[in-house]
Each structure stands twice: as structure tokens, then as C-alpha cells.
Coordinates of all heavy atoms in Angstrom, one line a residue:
M1169 N -111.4 -171.7 11.8 CA -111.0 -173.0 11.3 C -109.7 -173.5 12.0 O -109.4 -174.6 11.9 CB -110.8 -172.9 9.8 CG -110.4 -174.1 9.1 SD -111.8 -174.8 8.3 CE -111.1 -175.8 7.1
L1170 N -109.0 -172.6 12.7 CA -107.8 -172.9 13.3 C -108.0 -174.0 14.4 O -107.2 -174.9 14.5 CB -107.1 -171.7 14.0 CG -105.8 -171.9 14.7 CD1 -104.8 -172.4 13.7 CD2 -105.4 -170.6 15.3
Y1171 N -109.1 -173.9 15.1 CA -109.3 -174.9 16.2 C -110.4 -175.8 15.8 O -111.4 -176.0 16.5 CB -109.7 -174.1 17.5 CG -108.6 -173.2 18.0 CD1 -108.7 -171.9 17.9 CD2 -107.4 -173.8 18.4 CE1 -107.7 -171.0 18.3 CE2 -106.3 -173.0 18.8 CZ -106.5 -171.6 18.8 OH -105.5 -170.8 19.2
H1172 N -110.2 -176.5 14.7 CA -111.1 -177.5 14.2 C -110.6 -178.9 14.5 O -109.4 -179.1 14.5 CB -111.3 -177.3 12.7 CG -112.5 -178.0 12.2 ND1 -112.6 -179.3 12.0 CD2 -113.7 -177.5 11.8 CE1 -113.8 -179.6 11.5 NE2 -114.5 -178.5 11.4
P1173 N -111.5 -179.8 14.9 CA -111.0 -181.2 15.2 C -110.4 -181.8 14.0 O -110.7 -181.4 12.8 CB -112.3 -181.9 15.7 CG -113.4 -181.1 15.2 CD -112.9 -179.7 15.0
P1174 N -109.6 -182.9 14.2 CA -108.9 -183.6 13.1 C -110.0 -184.2 12.1 O -111.1 -184.5 12.5 CB -108.1 -184.7 13.8 CG -108.0 -184.2 15.2 CD -109.2 -183.4 15.5
R1175 N -109.6 -184.2 10.9 CA -110.4 -184.9 9.8 C -109.6 -186.1 9.3 O -108.4 -186.0 9.1 CB -110.7 -183.9 8.7 CG -111.6 -182.8 9.1 CD -112.2 -182.1 7.9 NE -113.1 -181.1 8.4 CZ -113.3 -180.0 7.8 NH1 -112.6 -179.7 6.7 NH2 -114.2 -179.1 8.2
K1176 N -110.3 -187.2 9.1 CA -109.6 -188.4 8.7 C -109.7 -188.4 7.1 O -110.8 -188.2 6.6 CB -110.3 -189.6 9.3 CG -109.6 -190.9 9.0 CD -110.2 -192.1 9.7 CE -109.8 -192.1 11.1 NZ -110.1 -193.3 11.8
R1177 N -108.6 -188.7 6.5 CA -108.6 -188.9 5.0 C -107.7 -190.1 4.7 O -106.8 -190.5 5.4 CB -107.9 -187.6 4.4 CG -108.8 -186.4 4.6 CD -108.4 -185.3 3.7 NE -109.1 -184.1 4.0 CZ -108.9 -182.9 3.5 NH1 -107.9 -182.7 2.7 NH2 -109.6 -181.9 3.9
S1178 N -108.0 -190.7 3.6 CA -107.3 -191.8 3.1 C -106.1 -191.4 2.2 O -106.3 -190.5 1.4 CB -108.2 -192.8 2.3 OG -109.2 -193.3 3.1
V1179 N -105.0 -192.1 2.4 CA -103.8 -191.9 1.5 C -103.3 -193.2 1.1 O -103.6 -194.2 1.8 CB -102.7 -191.0 2.2 CG1 -103.2 -189.6 2.5 CG2 -102.2 -191.7 3.5
E1180 N -102.5 -193.2 0.1 CA -101.9 -194.5 -0.3 C -100.4 -194.3 -0.3 O -99.8 -193.4 -0.8 CB -102.3 -194.8 -1.8 CG -102.0 -196.2 -2.2 CD -102.6 -196.5 -3.5 OE1 -103.8 -196.3 -3.7 OE2 -101.9 -197.1 -4.4
I1181 N -99.8 -195.3 0.4 CA -98.3 -195.3 0.6 C -97.8 -196.6 0.1 O -98.2 -197.7 0.6 CB -97.9 -195.1 2.1 CG1 -98.5 -193.8 2.6 CG2 -96.4 -195.1 2.2 CD1 -98.3 -193.7 4.1
A1182 N -97.0 -196.6 -0.9 CA -96.4 -197.8 -1.5 C -97.5 -198.9 -1.8 O -97.3 -200.0 -1.6 CB -95.4 -198.4 -0.6
G1183 N -98.6 -198.4 -2.4 CA -99.7 -199.3 -2.8 C -100.6 -199.7 -1.7 O -101.5 -200.5 -1.9
H1184 N -100.4 -199.2 -0.5 CA -101.2 -199.6 0.6 C -102.0 -198.4 1.1 O -101.5 -197.3 1.4 CB -100.4 -200.1 1.8 CG -99.6 -201.3 1.5 ND1 -100.2 -202.6 1.3 CD2 -98.3 -201.5 1.2 CE1 -99.2 -203.5 1.0 NE2 -98.1 -202.8 0.9
K1185 N -103.3 -198.6 1.2 CA -104.2 -197.5 1.7 C -104.2 -197.4 3.2 O -104.2 -198.5 3.9 CB -105.6 -197.6 1.2 CG -105.7 -197.4 -0.3 CD -107.2 -197.3 -0.7 CE -107.2 -196.9 -2.2 NZ -108.5 -196.6 -2.6
T1186 N -104.1 -196.2 3.7 CA -104.2 -196.0 5.2 C -104.9 -194.7 5.4 O -105.1 -193.9 4.5 CB -102.8 -196.0 5.8 OG1 -102.9 -195.9 7.2 CG2 -102.0 -194.8 5.4
S1187 N -105.4 -194.5 6.6 CA -106.1 -193.2 6.9 C -105.3 -192.4 7.9 O -104.6 -193.0 8.8 CB -107.5 -193.4 7.4 OG -107.5 -194.2 8.6
I1188 N -105.3 -191.1 7.8 CA -104.6 -190.2 8.6 C -105.5 -189.2 9.1 O -106.3 -188.6 8.4 CB -103.4 -189.5 7.9 CG1 -102.5 -190.5 7.3 CG2 -102.7 -188.6 8.8 CD1 -101.5 -189.9 6.3
S1189 N -105.5 -188.9 10.4 CA -106.3 -187.8 11.0 C -105.4 -186.6 11.3 O -104.4 -186.7 12.1 CB -106.9 -188.3 12.3 OG -107.9 -189.3 12.1
L1190 N -105.7 -185.5 10.6 CA -105.0 -184.2 10.8 C -106.0 -183.1 10.9 O -107.1 -183.2 10.2 CB -104.1 -184.0 9.6 CG -102.9 -184.8 9.4 CD1 -102.2 -184.5 8.1 CD2 -101.9 -184.7 10.6
E1191 N -105.7 -182.1 11.6 CA -106.5 -180.9 11.6 C -106.5 -180.3 10.2 O -105.5 -180.4 9.5 CB -106.0 -179.9 12.6 CG -106.0 -180.4 14.1 CD -105.0 -181.5 14.4 OE1 -104.0 -181.7 13.6 OE2 -105.1 -182.1 15.5
P1192 N -107.6 -179.6 9.8 CA -107.7 -179.0 8.5 C -106.5 -178.1 8.2 O -106.0 -178.1 7.0 CB -109.0 -178.2 8.5 CG -109.8 -178.9 9.5 CD -108.9 -179.4 10.6
L1193 N -106.0 -177.3 9.2 CA -104.8 -176.5 8.9 C -103.6 -177.3 8.4 O -103.0 -176.9 7.4 CB -104.4 -175.8 10.2 CG -103.1 -175.0 10.2 CD1 -103.2 -173.8 9.3 CD2 -102.7 -174.6 11.6
F1194 N -103.4 -178.5 9.0 CA -102.3 -179.3 8.5 C -102.6 -180.0 7.2 O -101.6 -180.1 6.4 CB -102.0 -180.4 9.6 CG -101.3 -179.8 10.8 CD1 -102.0 -179.7 12.0 CD2 -100.0 -179.3 10.7 CE1 -101.3 -179.2 13.1 CE2 -99.4 -178.8 11.8 CZ -100.1 -178.7 13.0
W1195 N -103.8 -180.3 6.9 CA -104.1 -180.8 5.6 C -103.8 -179.7 4.5 O -103.3 -180.0 3.5 CB -105.6 -181.2 5.5 CG -105.9 -182.6 6.1 CD1 -106.7 -182.9 7.1 CD2 -105.3 -183.9 5.7 NE1 -106.7 -184.2 7.4 CE2 -105.9 -184.8 6.5 CE3 -104.4 -184.2 4.7 CZ2 -105.5 -186.2 6.4 CZ3 -104.1 -185.6 4.6 CH2 -104.7 -186.5 5.4
D1196 N -104.2 -178.5 4.8 CA -103.9 -177.4 3.9 C -102.4 -177.2 3.7 O -102.0 -177.0 2.6 CB -104.6 -176.1 4.4 CG -106.1 -176.1 4.4 OD1 -106.7 -177.0 3.7 OD2 -106.7 -175.2 5.0
M1197 N -101.7 -177.2 4.8 CA -100.2 -177.1 4.7 C -99.6 -178.2 3.9 O -98.7 -178.0 3.1 CB -99.6 -177.0 6.1 CG -100.0 -175.8 6.9 SD -99.4 -175.8 8.6 CE -97.6 -175.7 8.3
L1198 N -100.1 -179.4 4.1 CA -99.6 -180.6 3.4 C -99.9 -180.4 1.9 O -99.0 -180.7 1.1 CB -100.2 -181.9 3.9 CG -99.7 -183.2 3.4 CD1 -98.2 -183.4 3.7 CD2 -100.5 -184.3 4.0
Q1199 N -101.1 -180.0 1.5 CA -101.4 -179.8 0.1 C -100.5 -178.7 -0.5 O -100.0 -178.9 -1.6 CB -102.9 -179.5 -0.1 CG -103.8 -180.6 0.2 CD -105.2 -180.3 0.2 OE1 -105.6 -179.1 0.5 NE2 -106.1 -181.3 -0.1
E1200 N -100.3 -177.6 0.2 CA -99.4 -176.6 -0.3 C -98.0 -177.0 -0.4 O -97.3 -176.7 -1.4 CB -99.5 -175.4 0.7 CG -100.8 -174.6 0.7 CD -100.9 -173.6 1.7 OE1 -99.9 -173.2 2.4 OE2 -102.0 -173.1 2.0
A1201 N -97.5 -177.8 0.5 CA -96.1 -178.3 0.4 C -96.0 -179.3 -0.8 O -95.0 -179.2 -1.5 CB -95.7 -179.1 1.7
A1202 N -97.0 -180.1 -1.0 CA -96.9 -181.0 -2.1 C -96.9 -180.2 -3.4 O -96.2 -180.5 -4.4 CB -98.1 -182.0 -2.1
G1203 N -97.7 -179.1 -3.5 CA -97.7 -178.3 -4.6 C -96.4 -177.6 -4.9 O -95.9 -177.5 -6.0
R1204 N -95.7 -177.1 -3.8 CA -94.4 -176.5 -4.0 C -93.4 -177.5 -4.5 O -92.5 -177.2 -5.3 CB -93.9 -175.9 -2.6 CG -94.5 -174.6 -2.3 CD -93.8 -174.0 -1.1 NE -93.6 -174.8 0.0 CZ -94.5 -175.1 0.9 NH1 -95.7 -174.5 0.8 NH2 -94.3 -175.9 2.0
K1205 N -93.5 -178.8 -4.1 CA -92.6 -179.8 -4.5 C -93.0 -180.4 -5.8 O -92.3 -181.3 -6.4 CB -92.5 -180.9 -3.4 CG -91.8 -180.4 -2.2 CD -91.8 -181.4 -1.1 CE -90.9 -182.6 -1.3 NZ -89.5 -182.5 -0.8
D1206 N -94.2 -180.0 -6.3 CA -94.7 -180.5 -7.6 C -94.9 -182.1 -7.5 O -94.5 -182.7 -8.5 CB -93.9 -180.1 -8.8 CG -94.7 -180.2 -10.1 OD1 -95.9 -180.1 -10.0 OD2 -94.0 -180.4 -11.1
V1207 N -95.4 -182.6 -6.4 CA -95.7 -184.0 -6.3 C -97.1 -184.2 -5.7 O -97.6 -183.3 -5.0 CB -94.7 -184.7 -5.3 CG1 -93.3 -184.6 -5.9 CG2 -94.7 -184.1 -3.9
P1208 N -97.7 -185.3 -5.9 CA -99.0 -185.5 -5.3 C -98.9 -185.6 -3.8 O -97.8 -186.0 -3.3 CB -99.5 -186.9 -5.9 CG -98.6 -187.1 -7.1 CD -97.3 -186.4 -6.8
V1209 N -100.0 -185.4 -3.1 CA -99.9 -185.5 -1.6 C -99.5 -186.9 -1.2 O -98.7 -187.0 -0.2 CB -101.3 -185.1 -1.0 CG1 -101.4 -185.5 0.5 CG2 -101.6 -183.6 -1.2
N1210 N -100.0 -187.9 -1.8 CA -99.6 -189.3 -1.5 C -98.1 -189.5 -1.6 O -97.5 -190.2 -0.7 CB -100.3 -190.3 -2.4 CG -101.7 -190.5 -2.0 OD1 -102.2 -190.1 -1.0 ND2 -102.5 -191.2 -2.9
A1211 N -97.5 -188.9 -2.6 CA -96.0 -189.0 -2.7 C -95.3 -188.3 -1.6 O -94.3 -188.8 -1.1 CB -95.6 -188.5 -4.1
L1212 N -95.8 -187.1 -1.2 CA -95.1 -186.4 -0.1 C -95.3 -187.2 1.2 O -94.4 -187.3 2.0 CB -95.7 -185.0 0.0 CG -95.1 -184.1 1.2 CD1 -93.6 -184.1 1.1 CD2 -95.7 -182.8 1.1
V1213 N -96.5 -187.7 1.4 CA -96.7 -188.5 2.6 C -95.8 -189.7 2.7 O -95.3 -190.1 3.7 CB -98.2 -188.9 2.7 CG1 -98.4 -190.0 3.9 CG2 -99.1 -187.7 3.0
A1214 N -95.6 -190.4 1.5 CA -94.7 -191.5 1.4 C -93.3 -191.1 1.8 O -92.6 -191.9 2.5 CB -94.8 -192.2 0.0
E1215 N -92.9 -189.9 1.3 CA -91.5 -189.4 1.6 C -91.4 -189.2 3.1 O -90.4 -189.6 3.7 CB -91.3 -188.1 0.9 CG -90.0 -187.5 1.1 CD -89.9 -186.1 0.4 OE1 -90.3 -186.0 -0.8 OE2 -89.3 -185.2 1.0
I1216 N -92.4 -188.6 3.7 CA -92.4 -188.3 5.2 C -92.4 -189.6 5.9 O -91.6 -189.8 6.9 CB -93.5 -187.4 5.6 CG1 -93.4 -186.0 4.9 CG2 -93.6 -187.3 7.1 CD1 -94.7 -185.2 5.0
D1217 N -93.2 -190.6 5.4 CA -93.2 -191.9 6.1 C -91.9 -192.6 6.1 O -91.4 -193.2 7.1 CB -94.3 -192.8 5.4 CG -94.5 -194.1 6.1 OD1 -94.7 -194.1 7.3 OD2 -94.5 -195.1 5.4
A1218 N -91.2 -192.5 4.9 CA -89.9 -193.1 4.8 C -88.9 -192.5 5.8 O -88.1 -193.2 6.5 CB -89.3 -193.0 3.4
E1219 N -88.9 -191.2 5.9 CA -88.0 -190.5 6.9 C -88.4 -190.9 8.3 O -87.5 -191.1 9.1 CB -88.2 -189.0 6.7 CG -87.6 -188.4 5.4 CD -87.8 -186.9 5.3 OE1 -88.2 -186.3 6.3 OE2 -87.6 -186.4 4.2
R1220 N -89.7 -191.0 8.6 CA -90.1 -191.3 9.9 C -89.7 -192.7 10.3 O -89.2 -192.9 11.5 CB -91.7 -191.3 9.9 CG -92.4 -192.0 11.0 CD -93.9 -192.0 10.7 NE -94.3 -193.2 10.0 CZ -94.7 -194.3 10.5 NH1 -94.8 -194.4 11.9 NH2 -95.1 -195.3 9.8
I1221 N -89.7 -193.7 9.4 CA -89.3 -195.0 9.7 C -87.8 -195.1 10.1 O -87.4 -195.9 10.9 CB -89.7 -196.0 8.5 CG1 -91.2 -196.1 8.5 CG2 -89.0 -197.3 8.7 CD1 -91.7 -196.8 7.2
E1222 N -87.0 -194.2 9.5 CA -85.6 -194.2 9.7 C -85.2 -193.5 11.0 O -84.0 -193.5 11.4 CB -84.9 -193.5 8.5 CG -85.0 -194.3 7.2 CD -84.4 -195.7 7.3 OE1 -83.3 -195.8 7.8 OE2 -85.0 -196.6 6.7
A1223 N -86.2 -192.8 11.6 CA -85.9 -192.0 12.8 C -85.5 -192.9 14.0 O -86.0 -194.0 14.1 CB -87.1 -191.1 13.1
E1224 N -84.7 -192.3 14.9 CA -84.3 -193.1 16.1 C -85.5 -193.4 16.9 O -85.7 -194.5 17.5 CB -83.3 -192.2 16.9 CG -82.8 -193.0 18.1 CD -81.8 -192.1 18.9 OE1 -81.2 -191.2 18.3 OE2 -81.5 -192.5 20.0
H1225 N -86.4 -192.4 17.1 CA -87.6 -192.6 17.8 C -88.8 -192.4 16.9 O -89.1 -191.3 16.5 CB -87.7 -191.6 19.0 CG -86.6 -191.7 20.0 ND1 -86.5 -192.7 20.9 CD2 -85.5 -190.9 20.1 CE1 -85.4 -192.5 21.6 NE2 -84.8 -191.4 21.1
T1226 N -89.4 -193.5 16.4 CA -90.3 -193.5 15.3 C -91.7 -192.9 15.8 O -92.4 -193.6 16.6 CB -90.5 -194.9 14.7 OG1 -89.3 -195.4 14.4 CG2 -91.4 -194.8 13.5
P1227 N -92.1 -191.7 15.4 CA -93.4 -191.2 15.8 C -94.5 -191.9 14.9 O -94.2 -192.5 13.9 CB -93.3 -189.7 15.5 CG -92.3 -189.7 14.3 CD -91.4 -190.8 14.5
G1228 N -95.7 -191.6 15.3 CA -96.8 -192.0 14.5 C -96.8 -191.2 13.2 O -96.2 -190.1 13.1
L1229 N -97.5 -191.7 12.2 CA -97.5 -191.0 10.9 C -98.1 -189.6 11.0 O -97.5 -188.6 10.4 CB -98.2 -191.8 9.8 CG -98.2 -191.2 8.4 CD1 -96.8 -190.9 7.9 CD2 -98.9 -192.2 7.4
A1230 N -99.2 -189.4 11.6 CA -99.8 -188.1 11.7 C -98.8 -187.1 12.5 O -98.7 -185.9 12.0 CB -101.1 -188.1 12.4
T1231 N -98.2 -187.6 13.5 CA -97.2 -186.7 14.2 C -96.1 -186.4 13.3 O -95.6 -185.3 13.3 CB -96.8 -187.5 15.5 OG1 -97.9 -187.7 16.4 CG2 -95.7 -186.7 16.2
A1232 N -95.6 -187.4 12.6 CA -94.4 -187.1 11.7 C -94.8 -186.1 10.7 O -94.0 -185.2 10.3 CB -94.0 -188.4 11.0
I1233 N -96.0 -186.1 10.1 CA -96.4 -185.1 9.1 C -96.5 -183.8 9.8 O -96.0 -182.8 9.2 CB -97.8 -185.5 8.6 CG1 -97.7 -186.8 7.7 CG2 -98.4 -184.4 7.8 CD1 -99.0 -187.4 7.3
R1234 N -97.1 -183.7 11.0 CA -97.1 -182.3 11.6 C -95.7 -181.8 11.9 O -95.4 -180.6 11.6 CB -97.9 -182.5 12.9 CG -99.3 -182.6 12.8 CD -100.0 -182.6 14.2 NE -101.4 -183.1 14.1 CZ -101.8 -184.3 14.4 NH1 -100.9 -185.3 14.7 NH2 -103.1 -184.6 14.3
L1235 N -94.8 -182.6 12.4 CA -93.4 -182.2 12.7 C -92.7 -181.8 11.4 O -92.0 -180.8 11.3 CB -92.7 -183.3 13.4 CG -93.1 -183.6 14.8 CD1 -92.4 -184.9 15.3 CD2 -92.9 -182.4 15.7
W1236 N -92.9 -182.6 10.3 CA -92.3 -182.3 9.0 C -92.8 -180.9 8.5 O -92.0 -180.1 8.0 CB -92.6 -183.4 8.0 CG -91.9 -183.2 6.7 CD1 -90.7 -183.8 6.4 CD2 -92.2 -182.4 5.6 NE1 -90.3 -183.4 5.1 CE2 -91.2 -182.5 4.6 CE3 -93.3 -181.6 5.3 CZ2 -91.3 -181.9 3.4 CZ3 -93.4 -180.9 4.1 CH2 -92.4 -181.1 3.2
L1237 N -94.1 -180.7 8.6 CA -94.6 -179.4 8.2 C -94.1 -178.2 9.0 O -93.8 -177.2 8.4 CB -96.2 -179.5 8.2 CG -96.8 -180.4 7.2 CD1 -98.3 -180.6 7.5 CD2 -96.7 -179.8 5.8
V1238 N -94.0 -178.4 10.3 CA -93.4 -177.3 11.1 C -92.0 -177.0 10.7 O -91.5 -175.9 10.6 CB -93.6 -177.6 12.6 CG1 -92.8 -176.6 13.4 CG2 -95.0 -177.6 13.0
A1239 N -91.2 -178.1 10.5 CA -89.8 -178.0 10.1 C -89.7 -177.3 8.8 O -88.8 -176.4 8.5 CB -89.1 -179.3 10.1
D1240 N -90.6 -177.7 7.8 CA -90.6 -177.1 6.5 C -90.9 -175.6 6.6 O -90.2 -174.8 5.9 CB -91.6 -177.8 5.6 CG -91.7 -177.2 4.2 OD1 -90.7 -177.3 3.5 OD2 -92.8 -176.7 3.9
L1241 N -91.9 -175.3 7.4 CA -92.2 -173.8 7.6 C -91.0 -173.1 8.2 O -90.7 -172.0 7.7 CB -93.4 -173.7 8.5 CG -93.9 -172.3 8.8 CD1 -94.3 -171.6 7.5 CD2 -95.0 -172.3 9.8
G1242 N -90.3 -173.7 9.1 CA -89.1 -173.0 9.7 C -88.0 -172.8 8.7 O -87.4 -171.7 8.6
Q1243 N -87.8 -173.8 7.8 CA -86.8 -173.7 6.8 C -87.2 -172.6 5.8 O -86.3 -171.8 5.4 CB -86.6 -175.0 6.0 CG -85.9 -176.0 6.9 CD -85.9 -177.4 6.1 OE1 -86.5 -177.6 5.1 NE2 -85.1 -178.3 6.7
R1244 N -88.4 -172.5 5.4 CA -88.9 -171.5 4.5 C -88.8 -170.1 5.1 O -88.6 -169.1 4.3 CB -90.3 -171.8 3.9 CG -90.3 -173.0 3.0 CD -91.6 -173.3 2.4 NE -92.6 -173.6 3.4 CZ -93.7 -172.9 3.7 NH1 -93.9 -171.8 3.1 NH2 -94.6 -173.3 4.6
C1245 N -89.0 -170.0 6.4 CA -88.9 -168.7 7.1 C -87.5 -168.4 7.5 O -87.2 -167.4 8.2 CB -89.8 -168.7 8.3 SG -91.6 -168.8 7.8
D1246 N -86.6 -169.3 7.2 CA -85.2 -169.2 7.6 C -85.0 -169.1 9.1 O -84.2 -168.3 9.6 CB -84.5 -168.0 6.9 CG -83.0 -168.1 6.9 OD1 -82.5 -169.2 6.9 OD2 -82.3 -167.0 6.8
R1247 N -85.8 -169.9 9.8 CA -85.8 -169.9 11.2 C -85.8 -171.4 11.6 O -86.8 -172.0 11.7 CB -87.0 -169.3 11.8 CG -87.0 -167.8 11.5 CD -88.2 -167.1 12.2 NE -88.0 -167.1 13.6 CZ -88.8 -166.7 14.5 NH1 -90.0 -166.3 14.1 NH2 -88.6 -166.7 15.7
P1248 N -84.6 -172.0 11.8 CA -84.5 -173.4 12.2 C -85.4 -173.7 13.4 O -85.4 -172.9 14.4 CB -83.1 -173.7 12.4 CG -82.4 -172.5 11.9 CD -83.3 -171.4 11.8
I1249 N -86.0 -174.8 13.4 CA -86.8 -175.3 14.6 C -85.9 -176.0 15.5 O -85.0 -176.8 15.1 CB -87.9 -176.2 14.1 CG1 -88.8 -175.5 13.0 CG2 -88.8 -176.7 15.3 CD1 -89.4 -174.2 13.4
A1250 N -86.1 -175.8 16.8 CA -85.2 -176.4 17.8 C -85.3 -177.9 17.7 O -86.3 -178.5 17.4 CB -85.7 -176.0 19.2
G1251 N -84.2 -178.5 17.8 CA -84.1 -180.0 17.7 C -83.7 -180.5 16.3 O -83.5 -181.7 16.1
Q1252 N -83.6 -179.6 15.4 CA -83.2 -180.0 14.0 C -81.7 -180.0 13.9 O -81.0 -179.2 14.3 CB -83.8 -179.1 13.0 CG -85.2 -179.3 12.7 CD -85.7 -178.5 11.5 OE1 -85.4 -177.3 11.4 NE2 -86.4 -179.2 10.6

């Protein structure tokens, strides 16, 4: 399952539906992160989207989610990710 092509899913951000393509591994990580924060996946995606929009170099939403998840993993492992 590690090398599985992206899957497209719909999410809602601020009342607007959009679709995001992520590999199943990242969907799983996103669901786990939302569970740890005790928020729905849509709320976590909205939080990541807000941070992404404020960034100096605005990545696409799927990229922002992947980067956020890697940074979150690094923080939980007490291993800062380069560039943070």
C-alpha cells in the first residue's frame, strides 16, 4: 500500500467543497492527525489551508498537507524537519 497512486477525495473548507488527491498513506496520516487533535478531517484541512495561504511561497493544498504531515511527524518524534 506504500506505493499506491493518489486517491481523490472531497473535503469542505469554509463551506466550499474541493477535491484533494493524496496517496493512501497520507490520507491515513491525515485521519490520525485529526483524531489526535480531536477535530474532523475537514477542520484540519482548513487549518492547513489557512497556514498555506499565509506562507511566503504558497504551495498547492495537497503539497501543503503532505508537508504539514511530515513536519507533524518530525515534531512527534522530536526530530525537527530541515527548513522549519
Side-chain angles (χ1 to χ4, degrees):
M1169 185 102 157
L1170 180 63
Y1171 299 111
H1172 196 281
R1175 291 195 177 146
K1176 188 177 279 193
R1177 295 193 186 170
S1178 294
V1179 296
E1180 190 170 315
I1181 303 170
H1184 299 285
K1185 288 191 177 187
T1186 188
S1187 60
I1188 303 169
S1189 292
L1190 292 172
E1191 296 75 11
L1193 172 69
F1194 288 108
W1195 282 118
D1196 292 345
M1197 291 174 69
L1198 186 63
Q1199 290 172 334
E1200 290 172 14
R1204 280 193 309 279
K1205 293 175 72 92
D1206 197 27
V1207 298
V1209 169
N1210 285 348
L1212 180 54
V1213 170
E1215 178 183 320
I1216 295 168
D1217 186 49
E1219 290 177 13
R1220 160 188 94 90
I1221 290 169
E1222 297 296 321
E1224 182 178 345
H1225 302 286
T1226 308
L1229 182 55
T1231 298
I1233 291 169
R1234 288 183 191 97
L1235 292 171
W1236 187 94
L1237 289 168
V1238 170
D1240 178 64
L1241 179 62
Q1243 288 175 347
R1244 289 185 295 113
C1245 294
D1246 199 26
R1247 297 183 68 186
I1249 304 302
Q1252 283 189 312

